[in-house]
Amino acid sequence: MDKNMRKSAFRNTLRVFFARGPIVIICSVIVLLFFFAAIFAPILTPYTETQQDLLNTFAKPSGTHLFGTDSLGRDVFTRILYGARVSLITSLISSVLALVVGSFLGMVAGYLEGAVGQLIMRITDAQLSLPPLIVSMTLATALGGGIWGVSIVIAISILPTYVRMVNGLVLTIKNNDFVVVAPLVGQTSFQVLYKHLFPNCFPSLIVLFTMNLGGAIMLESSLSFLGIGITAPVPAWGSMVSDGYQYLFKAPSLAIVPGIFVMLTVIAFNIVGDSLRDSLDPRLRGKL
Amino acid sequence: MGKFILRRLGISLIIVFLVSLFAFSLMHILPGDPARLALGEEASEEDVQALREELNLDKPLPVQYWLWIKGLFTGDMGYSIIYNRSVKEMLTEKIPRTLSLGIPSLIISSVLGITFGVLSAIKRGKWIDQLITFLATLGAGTPVFWIGIILMYFFGVKLRILPISGWTSPAVDFTKYVRQALMPVFCLSLHLTASISRQTRANMLDVVNQDYIRTCRANGINERSVIFRHALRNTLIPIITIIALQIRQVIGGSLMVEQVFNIPGIGLMVKQGIMGRDYLVVQSSVLIISLVTTVCNVFVDILYGLVNPQIRKSWG
């Protein structure tokens, strides 16, 4: 492809990405701010996330405490920033885990079919007939919460989406000549998987990855809300809502503010994910 | 056709078997001894050991699994160690409560979701499409637990027009049931309505661009008939699959909503069961929820097969 064509293809991708109007720009900014807040949390605030001030509890929003303080006098703004950190880390770890394991299982099931493939797909079906939150809750209890525990639980919960999508893609790719011929020139099944099938699934995987980040953040906050995700004193948006819930009459903003952040972040990731899908892989429209 | 149905049933039997293994192992990987948890820290070692034997916890895992499954087939689901009641009795008490919220929300979100989706697709690009798309994005991104609290705060605490929590049987006091159910049903329907509406819109747009629709229009069939008689039917097939998958939520109850509004349904029961290591309660509930979901999915699949010969063929 010559340079000009590549340039125009890139421009076209950008055009489609921003086609939904200013909302995409706003959401991209929110996503960037989210990353920024999560990474630079300690620099952005003079307080620490667990620093208590028992003489100054339930403070109203002011210059010194942007969103006020909670029942232990901790700065809510600081906890929101550190909460972004928890959400970012868990959603990234879980999505990477799900992507790696899910695409491998999906490719194996699609390419090999047979008994192994059947088993993988039937286990996926079985998981999809289980009540999701109950499974996540049991696993989180078993793994004991914490960043890694919660990430693994979320990964397992979003795994079927990856398995099914990759499986479907592989089933359509595998009948192409370049895949059919590969074993004849001496390539092993494993080589076919990572040399031919994986690169062809890659654009869709990137799209699914972005689209799932919002869902992962939502699941993390839901688990934290139920008190089985990230546990105190580490701040997570979900547990901040459930803490604030106890003081709903006294200080409603304690429960309301963290929820707004969950909502903004999830919506921003969803819209950026949708736009990315439209520009990178229009075939998937409506399927994800 | 018979072969197709048999094959589909065979696959679902395997799925149900896998689910029973999942449910069993999920509970048994949890740390902590159910007998010790049930009797408390002060109980003597002999008492705990006696309870363990009574609950068959001293037997090897495969034997425990076998006893559980055998019990299910003979209609004996065992006893809850937390409540000291039969699991069967608890389920027959809790399932109707969960259904009394789940079924209305399933109906509401299907009707609203499909209507919004179709409207949005027909009026593509117009203000109504933009409004619906915006609302769907908003709905899908709102945390259920949070919106529940907000509603409770405004309607229950500030305006005092709705009860903040609880559940009443519609057979006992219908008005009270409706008033208490309004907010939970709204919360349950939010995500589902959003996803059905998005999916309907996308499918409708796909279908509308196909050749046979163009042919319909070229033949001078009026637009209403093109949309409702020709386009909508094909749009709905994938939607029904999505709705059928939601059955697990409807009878499983939304743990989140039951927690926020303090509704004593299946979700909360299972949560307490997990915390208290009430093996039989959790295992049996999970298995029943999955069983119903699987049966609904098989039913939908067979229905598709009956209607559409192409799908029947692809199932082999």
PDB file of all heavy atoms in Angstrom, chain A residues 234-268:
ATOM      1  N   VAL A 234      -8.976   0.000  51.558  1.00  0.00           N
ATOM      2  CA  VAL A 234      -8.722   0.413  50.182  1.00  0.00           C
ATOM      3  C   VAL A 234     -10.003   0.980  49.585  1.00  0.00           C
ATOM      4  O   VAL A 234     -11.051   0.329  49.656  1.00  0.00           O
ATOM      5  CB  VAL A 234      -8.248  -0.779  49.318  1.00  0.00           C
ATOM      6  CG1 VAL A 234      -7.966  -0.337  47.896  1.00  0.00           C
ATOM      7  CG2 VAL A 234      -7.011  -1.398  49.933  1.00  0.00           C
ATOM      8  N   PRO A 235      -9.983   2.198  49.044  1.00  0.00           N
ATOM      9  CA  PRO A 235     -11.215   2.776  48.535  1.00  0.00           C
ATOM     10  C   PRO A 235     -11.575   2.220  47.157  1.00  0.00           C
ATOM     11  O   PRO A 235     -10.722   2.165  46.272  1.00  0.00           O
ATOM     12  CB  PRO A 235     -10.910   4.270  48.438  1.00  0.00           C
ATOM     13  CG  PRO A 235      -9.434   4.353  48.327  1.00  0.00           C
ATOM     14  CD  PRO A 235      -8.839   3.109  48.898  1.00  0.00           C
ATOM     15  N   ALA A 236     -12.832   1.748  47.002  1.00  0.00           N
ATOM     16  CA  ALA A 236     -13.339   1.386  45.688  1.00  0.00           C
ATOM     17  C   ALA A 236     -14.666   2.114  45.550  1.00  0.00           C
ATOM     18  O   ALA A 236     -15.345   2.343  46.554  1.00  0.00           O
ATOM     19  CB  ALA A 236     -13.530  -0.114  45.582  1.00  0.00           C
ATOM     20  N   TRP A 237     -15.026   2.502  44.358  1.00  0.00           N
ATOM     21  CA  TRP A 237     -16.235   3.311  44.175  1.00  0.00           C
ATOM     22  C   TRP A 237     -17.480   2.602  44.706  1.00  0.00           C
ATOM     23  O   TRP A 237     -18.340   3.218  45.323  1.00  0.00           O
ATOM     24  CB  TRP A 237     -16.391   3.693  42.691  1.00  0.00           C
ATOM     25  CG  TRP A 237     -15.347   4.686  42.258  1.00  0.00           C
ATOM     26  CD1 TRP A 237     -14.547   5.426  43.069  1.00  0.00           C
ATOM     27  CD2 TRP A 237     -15.006   5.047  40.909  1.00  0.00           C
ATOM     28  NE1 TRP A 237     -13.709   6.221  42.313  1.00  0.00           N
ATOM     29  CE2 TRP A 237     -13.975   6.016  40.992  1.00  0.00           C
ATOM     30  CE3 TRP A 237     -15.460   4.652  39.656  1.00  0.00           C
ATOM     31  CZ2 TRP A 237     -13.397   6.585  39.849  1.00  0.00           C
ATOM     32  CZ3 TRP A 237     -14.887   5.223  38.526  1.00  0.00           C
ATOM     33  CH2 TRP A 237     -13.868   6.183  38.634  1.00  0.00           C
ATOM     34  N   GLY A 238     -17.557   1.294  44.440  1.00  0.00           N
ATOM     35  CA  GLY A 238     -18.726   0.536  44.891  1.00  0.00           C
ATOM     36  C   GLY A 238     -18.853   0.538  46.406  1.00  0.00           C
ATOM     37  O   GLY A 238     -19.928   0.763  46.962  1.00  0.00           O
ATOM     38  N   SER A 239     -17.721   0.295  47.104  1.00  0.00           N
ATOM     39  CA  SER A 239     -17.818   0.239  48.564  1.00  0.00           C
ATOM     40  C   SER A 239     -18.049   1.637  49.135  1.00  0.00           C
ATOM     41  O   SER A 239     -18.638   1.785  50.209  1.00  0.00           O
ATOM     42  CB  SER A 239     -16.577  -0.408  49.173  1.00  0.00           C
ATOM     43  OG  SER A 239     -15.413   0.201  48.710  1.00  0.00           O
ATOM     44  N   MET A 240     -17.602   2.685  48.417  1.00  0.00           N
ATOM     45  CA  MET A 240     -17.897   4.043  48.883  1.00  0.00           C
ATOM     46  C   MET A 240     -19.401   4.295  48.850  1.00  0.00           C
ATOM     47  O   MET A 240     -19.961   4.926  49.749  1.00  0.00           O
ATOM     48  CB  MET A 240     -17.171   5.080  48.027  1.00  0.00           C
ATOM     49  CG  MET A 240     -15.672   5.087  48.257  1.00  0.00           C
ATOM     50  SD  MET A 240     -14.816   6.203  47.138  1.00  0.00           S
ATOM     51  CE  MET A 240     -15.289   7.787  47.789  1.00  0.00           C
ATOM     52  N   VAL A 241     -20.071   3.785  47.792  1.00  0.00           N
ATOM     53  CA  VAL A 241     -21.531   3.935  47.726  1.00  0.00           C
ATOM     54  C   VAL A 241     -22.185   3.208  48.896  1.00  0.00           C
ATOM     55  O   VAL A 241     -23.060   3.752  49.571  1.00  0.00           O
ATOM     56  CB  VAL A 241     -22.091   3.409  46.381  1.00  0.00           C
ATOM     57  CG1 VAL A 241     -23.613   3.418  46.403  1.00  0.00           C
ATOM     58  CG2 VAL A 241     -21.584   4.241  45.218  1.00  0.00           C
ATOM     59  N   SER A 242     -21.727   1.971  49.167  1.00  0.00           N
ATOM     60  CA  SER A 242     -22.399   1.221  50.233  1.00  0.00           C
ATOM     61  C   SER A 242     -22.082   1.809  51.607  1.00  0.00           C
ATOM     62  O   SER A 242     -22.923   1.764  52.497  1.00  0.00           O
ATOM     63  CB  SER A 242     -22.074  -0.272  50.146  1.00  0.00           C
ATOM     64  OG  SER A 242     -20.798  -0.536  50.609  1.00  0.00           O
ATOM     65  N   ASP A 243     -20.884   2.384  51.789  1.00  0.00           N
ATOM     66  CA  ASP A 243     -20.599   3.082  53.048  1.00  0.00           C
ATOM     67  C   ASP A 243     -21.516   4.293  53.198  1.00  0.00           C
ATOM     68  O   ASP A 243     -22.088   4.529  54.264  1.00  0.00           O
ATOM     69  CB  ASP A 243     -19.137   3.582  53.081  1.00  0.00           C
ATOM     70  CG  ASP A 243     -18.157   2.444  53.273  1.00  0.00           C
ATOM     71  OD1 ASP A 243     -18.616   1.340  53.632  1.00  0.00           O
ATOM     72  OD2 ASP A 243     -16.954   2.654  53.040  1.00  0.00           O
ATOM     73  N   GLY A 244     -21.634   5.057  52.111  1.00  0.00           N
ATOM     74  CA  GLY A 244     -22.428   6.278  52.142  1.00  0.00           C
ATOM     75  C   GLY A 244     -23.904   5.990  52.339  1.00  0.00           C
ATOM     76  O   GLY A 244     -24.633   6.782  52.946  1.00  0.00           O
ATOM     77  N   TYR A 245     -24.342   4.814  51.857  1.00  0.00           N
ATOM     78  CA  TYR A 245     -25.733   4.371  51.959  1.00  0.00           C
ATOM     79  C   TYR A 245     -26.208   4.408  53.410  1.00  0.00           C
ATOM     80  O   TYR A 245     -27.343   4.779  53.704  1.00  0.00           O
ATOM     81  CB  TYR A 245     -25.778   2.960  51.380  1.00  0.00           C
ATOM     82  CG  TYR A 245     -27.114   2.291  51.325  1.00  0.00           C
ATOM     83  CD1 TYR A 245     -28.261   3.009  51.050  1.00  0.00           C
ATOM     84  CD2 TYR A 245     -27.211   0.914  51.508  1.00  0.00           C
ATOM     85  CE1 TYR A 245     -29.483   2.363  50.977  1.00  0.00           C
ATOM     86  CE2 TYR A 245     -28.421   0.265  51.426  1.00  0.00           C
ATOM     87  CZ  TYR A 245     -29.548   0.995  51.178  1.00  0.00           C
ATOM     88  OH  TYR A 245     -30.741   0.366  51.115  1.00  0.00           O
ATOM     89  N   GLN A 246     -25.300   4.075  54.346  1.00  0.00           N
ATOM     90  CA  GLN A 246     -25.671   4.069  55.769  1.00  0.00           C
ATOM     91  C   GLN A 246     -25.994   5.472  56.285  1.00  0.00           C
ATOM     92  O   GLN A 246     -26.672   5.627  57.283  1.00  0.00           O
ATOM     93  CB  GLN A 246     -24.532   3.498  56.607  1.00  0.00           C
ATOM     94  CG  GLN A 246     -24.189   2.080  56.263  1.00  0.00           C
ATOM     95  CD  GLN A 246     -22.836   1.702  56.817  1.00  0.00           C
ATOM     96  OE1 GLN A 246     -22.425   2.164  57.867  1.00  0.00           O
ATOM     97  NE2 GLN A 246     -22.116   0.861  56.093  1.00  0.00           N
ATOM     98  N   TYR A 247     -25.431   6.497  55.591  1.00  0.00           N
ATOM     99  CA  TYR A 247     -25.653   7.869  56.051  1.00  0.00           C
ATOM    100  C   TYR A 247     -26.509   8.645  55.060  1.00  0.00           C
ATOM    101  O   TYR A 247     -26.333   9.834  54.865  1.00  0.00           O
ATOM    102  CB  TYR A 247     -24.316   8.576  56.265  1.00  0.00           C
ATOM    103  CG  TYR A 247     -23.401   7.803  57.161  1.00  0.00           C
ATOM    104  CD1 TYR A 247     -22.371   7.047  56.624  1.00  0.00           C
ATOM    105  CD2 TYR A 247     -23.592   7.804  58.536  1.00  0.00           C
ATOM    106  CE1 TYR A 247     -21.534   6.313  57.447  1.00  0.00           C
ATOM    107  CE2 TYR A 247     -22.764   7.078  59.368  1.00  0.00           C
ATOM    108  CZ  TYR A 247     -21.737   6.325  58.821  1.00  0.00           C
ATOM    109  OH  TYR A 247     -20.925   5.599  59.629  1.00  0.00           O
ATOM    110  N   LEU A 248     -27.435   7.918  54.408  1.00  0.00           N
ATOM    111  CA  LEU A 248     -28.226   8.509  53.335  1.00  0.00           C
ATOM    112  C   LEU A 248     -29.009   9.736  53.815  1.00  0.00           C
ATOM    113  O   LEU A 248     -29.157  10.717  53.096  1.00  0.00           O
ATOM    114  CB  LEU A 248     -29.180   7.456  52.766  1.00  0.00           C
ATOM    115  CG  LEU A 248     -29.788   7.753  51.403  1.00  0.00           C
ATOM    116  CD1 LEU A 248     -28.692   7.945  50.363  1.00  0.00           C
ATOM    117  CD2 LEU A 248     -30.694   6.617  50.956  1.00  0.00           C
ATOM    118  N   PHE A 249     -29.475   9.697  55.050  1.00  0.00           N
ATOM    119  CA  PHE A 249     -30.274  10.813  55.561  1.00  0.00           C
ATOM    120  C   PHE A 249     -29.385  12.009  55.903  1.00  0.00           C
ATOM    121  O   PHE A 249     -29.704  13.140  55.636  1.00  0.00           O
ATOM    122  CB  PHE A 249     -31.037  10.391  56.821  1.00  0.00           C
ATOM    123  CG  PHE A 249     -32.088   9.375  56.546  1.00  0.00           C
ATOM    124  CD1 PHE A 249     -31.777   8.019  56.505  1.00  0.00           C
ATOM    125  CD2 PHE A 249     -33.404   9.757  56.320  1.00  0.00           C
ATOM    126  CE1 PHE A 249     -32.748   7.077  56.232  1.00  0.00           C
ATOM    127  CE2 PHE A 249     -34.387   8.819  56.059  1.00  0.00           C
ATOM    128  CZ  PHE A 249     -34.049   7.471  56.010  1.00  0.00           C
ATOM    129  N   LYS A 250     -28.236  11.695  56.497  1.00  0.00           N
ATOM    130  CA  LYS A 250     -27.357  12.733  57.006  1.00  0.00           C
ATOM    131  C   LYS A 250     -26.567  13.405  55.881  1.00  0.00           C
ATOM    132  O   LYS A 250     -26.474  14.634  55.810  1.00  0.00           O
ATOM    133  CB  LYS A 250     -26.393  12.093  58.003  1.00  0.00           C
ATOM    134  CG  LYS A 250     -25.837  13.061  59.003  1.00  0.00           C
ATOM    135  CD  LYS A 250     -25.099  12.283  60.070  1.00  0.00           C
ATOM    136  CE  LYS A 250     -24.323  13.236  60.965  1.00  0.00           C
ATOM    137  NZ  LYS A 250     -23.434  12.505  61.851  1.00  0.00           N
ATOM    138  N   ALA A 251     -25.971  12.595  55.004  1.00  0.00           N
ATOM    139  CA  ALA A 251     -25.106  13.140  53.952  1.00  0.00           C
ATOM    140  C   ALA A 251     -25.295  12.354  52.669  1.00  0.00           C
ATOM    141  O   ALA A 251     -24.485  11.492  52.335  1.00  0.00           O
ATOM    142  CB  ALA A 251     -23.651  13.096  54.397  1.00  0.00           C
ATOM    143  N   PRO A 252     -26.390  12.628  51.934  1.00  0.00           N
ATOM    144  CA  PRO A 252     -26.694  11.830  50.730  1.00  0.00           C
ATOM    145  C   PRO A 252     -25.583  11.871  49.682  1.00  0.00           C
ATOM    146  O   PRO A 252     -25.431  10.929  48.902  1.00  0.00           O
ATOM    147  CB  PRO A 252     -27.984  12.455  50.198  1.00  0.00           C
ATOM    148  CG  PRO A 252     -28.153  13.748  50.907  1.00  0.00           C
ATOM    149  CD  PRO A 252     -27.414  13.655  52.188  1.00  0.00           C
ATOM    150  N   SER A 253     -24.788  12.942  49.672  1.00  0.00           N
ATOM    151  CA  SER A 253     -23.780  13.054  48.619  1.00  0.00           C
ATOM    152  C   SER A 253     -22.730  11.949  48.735  1.00  0.00           C
ATOM    153  O   SER A 253     -22.107  11.555  47.747  1.00  0.00           O
ATOM    154  CB  SER A 253     -23.105  14.425  48.661  1.00  0.00           C
ATOM    155  OG  SER A 253     -22.197  14.471  49.727  1.00  0.00           O
ATOM    156  N   LEU A 254     -22.533  11.394  49.943  1.00  0.00           N
ATOM    157  CA  LEU A 254     -21.537  10.339  50.122  1.00  0.00           C
ATOM    158  C   LEU A 254     -21.852   9.113  49.267  1.00  0.00           C
ATOM    159  O   LEU A 254     -20.963   8.432  48.770  1.00  0.00           O
ATOM    160  CB  LEU A 254     -21.447   9.917  51.591  1.00  0.00           C
ATOM    161  CG  LEU A 254     -20.734  10.893  52.524  1.00  0.00           C
ATOM    162  CD1 LEU A 254     -20.686  10.323  53.926  1.00  0.00           C
ATOM    163  CD2 LEU A 254     -19.343  11.190  52.010  1.00  0.00           C
ATOM    164  N   ALA A 255     -23.152   8.812  49.108  1.00  0.00           N
ATOM    165  CA  ALA A 255     -23.532   7.669  48.287  1.00  0.00           C
ATOM    166  C   ALA A 255     -23.681   8.072  46.829  1.00  0.00           C
ATOM    167  O   ALA A 255     -23.443   7.280  45.922  1.00  0.00           O
ATOM    168  CB  ALA A 255     -24.835   7.062  48.786  1.00  0.00           C
ATOM    169  N   ILE A 256     -24.084   9.338  46.608  1.00  0.00           N
ATOM    170  CA  ILE A 256     -24.396   9.758  45.241  1.00  0.00           C
ATOM    171  C   ILE A 256     -23.132  10.027  44.412  1.00  0.00           C
ATOM    172  O   ILE A 256     -23.016   9.557  43.280  1.00  0.00           O
ATOM    173  CB  ILE A 256     -25.320  11.005  45.272  1.00  0.00           C
ATOM    174  CG1 ILE A 256     -26.665  10.608  45.901  1.00  0.00           C
ATOM    175  CG2 ILE A 256     -25.540  11.561  43.872  1.00  0.00           C
ATOM    176  CD1 ILE A 256     -27.616  11.755  46.133  1.00  0.00           C
ATOM    177  N   VAL A 257     -22.165  10.735  44.993  1.00  0.00           N
ATOM    178  CA  VAL A 257     -20.979  11.140  44.215  1.00  0.00           C
ATOM    179  C   VAL A 257     -20.191   9.964  43.600  1.00  0.00           C
ATOM    180  O   VAL A 257     -19.954   9.960  42.393  1.00  0.00           O
ATOM    181  CB  VAL A 257     -20.068  12.067  45.062  1.00  0.00           C
ATOM    182  CG1 VAL A 257     -18.749  12.318  44.375  1.00  0.00           C
ATOM    183  CG2 VAL A 257     -20.789  13.376  45.320  1.00  0.00           C
ATOM    184  N   PRO A 258     -19.809   8.945  44.388  1.00  0.00           N
ATOM    185  CA  PRO A 258     -19.020   7.865  43.767  1.00  0.00           C
ATOM    186  C   PRO A 258     -19.783   7.175  42.627  1.00  0.00           C
ATOM    187  O   PRO A 258     -19.182   6.796  41.618  1.00  0.00           O
ATOM    188  CB  PRO A 258     -18.771   6.882  44.902  1.00  0.00           C
ATOM    189  CG  PRO A 258     -19.096   7.598  46.148  1.00  0.00           C
ATOM    190  CD  PRO A 258     -20.049   8.686  45.816  1.00  0.00           C
ATOM    191  N   GLY A 259     -21.118   7.071  42.788  1.00  0.00           N
ATOM    192  CA  GLY A 259     -21.933   6.443  41.748  1.00  0.00           C
ATOM    193  C   GLY A 259     -21.877   7.210  40.445  1.00  0.00           C
ATOM    194  O   GLY A 259     -21.850   6.622  39.363  1.00  0.00           O
ATOM    195  N   ILE A 260     -21.856   8.564  40.560  1.00  0.00           N
ATOM    196  CA  ILE A 260     -21.762   9.374  39.334  1.00  0.00           C
ATOM    197  C   ILE A 260     -20.460   9.061  38.602  1.00  0.00           C
ATOM    198  O   ILE A 260     -20.441   8.958  37.378  1.00  0.00           O
ATOM    199  CB  ILE A 260     -21.842  10.883  39.694  1.00  0.00           C
ATOM    200  CG1 ILE A 260     -23.229  11.195  40.261  1.00  0.00           C
ATOM    201  CG2 ILE A 260     -21.557  11.746  38.472  1.00  0.00           C
ATOM    202  CD1 ILE A 260     -23.397  12.627  40.735  1.00  0.00           C
ATOM    203  N   PHE A 261     -19.389   8.846  39.377  1.00  0.00           N
ATOM    204  CA  PHE A 261     -18.117   8.526  38.731  1.00  0.00           C
ATOM    205  C   PHE A 261     -18.152   7.164  38.044  1.00  0.00           C
ATOM    206  O   PHE A 261     -17.639   7.006  36.938  1.00  0.00           O
ATOM    207  CB  PHE A 261     -16.966   8.612  39.740  1.00  0.00           C
ATOM    208  CG  PHE A 261     -16.529  10.019  39.963  1.00  0.00           C
ATOM    209  CD1 PHE A 261     -17.122  10.798  40.944  1.00  0.00           C
ATOM    210  CD2 PHE A 261     -15.560  10.587  39.160  1.00  0.00           C
ATOM    211  CE1 PHE A 261     -16.752  12.114  41.131  1.00  0.00           C
ATOM    212  CE2 PHE A 261     -15.178  11.904  39.335  1.00  0.00           C
ATOM    213  CZ  PHE A 261     -15.768  12.672  40.322  1.00  0.00           C
ATOM    214  N   VAL A 262     -18.790   6.193  38.700  1.00  0.00           N
ATOM    215  CA  VAL A 262     -18.932   4.883  38.049  1.00  0.00           C
ATOM    216  C   VAL A 262     -19.676   5.065  36.727  1.00  0.00           C
ATOM    217  O   VAL A 262     -19.244   4.602  35.663  1.00  0.00           O
ATOM    218  CB  VAL A 262     -19.721   3.880  38.925  1.00  0.00           C
ATOM    219  CG1 VAL A 262     -19.893   2.552  38.200  1.00  0.00           C
ATOM    220  CG2 VAL A 262     -19.035   3.663  40.260  1.00  0.00           C
ATOM    221  N   MET A 263     -20.785   5.807  36.804  1.00  0.00           N
ATOM    222  CA  MET A 263     -21.643   5.964  35.630  1.00  0.00           C
ATOM    223  C   MET A 263     -20.896   6.666  34.496  1.00  0.00           C
ATOM    224  O   MET A 263     -20.877   6.179  33.367  1.00  0.00           O
ATOM    225  CB  MET A 263     -22.886   6.748  36.024  1.00  0.00           C
ATOM    226  CG  MET A 263     -23.951   6.750  34.974  1.00  0.00           C
ATOM    227  SD  MET A 263     -25.511   7.298  35.656  1.00  0.00           S
ATOM    228  CE  MET A 263     -25.337   9.028  35.484  1.00  0.00           C
ATOM    229  N   LEU A 264     -20.249   7.790  34.807  1.00  0.00           N
ATOM    230  CA  LEU A 264     -19.530   8.535  33.769  1.00  0.00           C
ATOM    231  C   LEU A 264     -18.458   7.665  33.117  1.00  0.00           C
ATOM    232  O   LEU A 264     -18.339   7.612  31.894  1.00  0.00           O
ATOM    233  CB  LEU A 264     -18.870   9.785  34.374  1.00  0.00           C
ATOM    234  CG  LEU A 264     -19.799  10.962  34.632  1.00  0.00           C
ATOM    235  CD1 LEU A 264     -19.014  12.117  35.239  1.00  0.00           C
ATOM    236  CD2 LEU A 264     -20.447  11.411  33.328  1.00  0.00           C
ATOM    237  N   THR A 265     -17.692   6.961  33.950  1.00  0.00           N
ATOM    238  CA  THR A 265     -16.603   6.153  33.408  1.00  0.00           C
ATOM    239  C   THR A 265     -17.137   5.030  32.528  1.00  0.00           C
ATOM    240  O   THR A 265     -16.642   4.809  31.421  1.00  0.00           O
ATOM    241  CB  THR A 265     -15.772   5.556  34.562  1.00  0.00           C
ATOM    242  OG1 THR A 265     -15.544   6.571  35.513  1.00  0.00           O
ATOM    243  CG2 THR A 265     -14.459   5.017  34.063  1.00  0.00           C
ATOM    244  N   VAL A 266     -18.159   4.327  33.028  1.00  0.00           N
ATOM    245  CA  VAL A 266     -18.703   3.203  32.259  1.00  0.00           C
ATOM    246  C   VAL A 266     -19.272   3.692  30.928  1.00  0.00           C
ATOM    247  O   VAL A 266     -18.985   3.127  29.865  1.00  0.00           O
ATOM    248  CB  VAL A 266     -19.778   2.450  33.071  1.00  0.00           C
ATOM    249  CG1 VAL A 266     -20.468   1.408  32.208  1.00  0.00           C
ATOM    250  CG2 VAL A 266     -19.158   1.785  34.284  1.00  0.00           C
ATOM    251  N   ILE A 267     -20.061   4.789  30.972  1.00  0.00           N
ATOM    252  CA  ILE A 267     -20.647   5.308  29.735  1.00  0.00           C
ATOM    253  C   ILE A 267     -19.538   5.744  28.772  1.00  0.00           C
ATOM    254  O   ILE A 267     -19.577   5.432  27.578  1.00  0.00           O
ATOM    255  CB  ILE A 267     -21.606   6.480  30.036  1.00  0.00           C
ATOM    256  CG1 ILE A 267     -22.844   5.939  30.750  1.00  0.00           C
ATOM    257  CG2 ILE A 267     -22.019   7.190  28.753  1.00  0.00           C
ATOM    258  CD1 ILE A 267     -23.827   7.008  31.161  1.00  0.00           C
ATOM    259  N   ALA A 268     -18.521   6.435  29.300  1.00  0.00           N
ATOM    260  CA  ALA A 268     -17.433   6.899  28.437  1.00  0.00           C
ATOM    261  C   ALA A 268     -16.746   5.711  27.762  1.00  0.00           C
ATOM    262  O   ALA A 268     -16.519   5.719  26.544  1.00  0.00           O
ATOM    263  CB  ALA A 268     -16.428   7.705  29.248  1.00  0.00           C
TER     264      ALA A 268
END
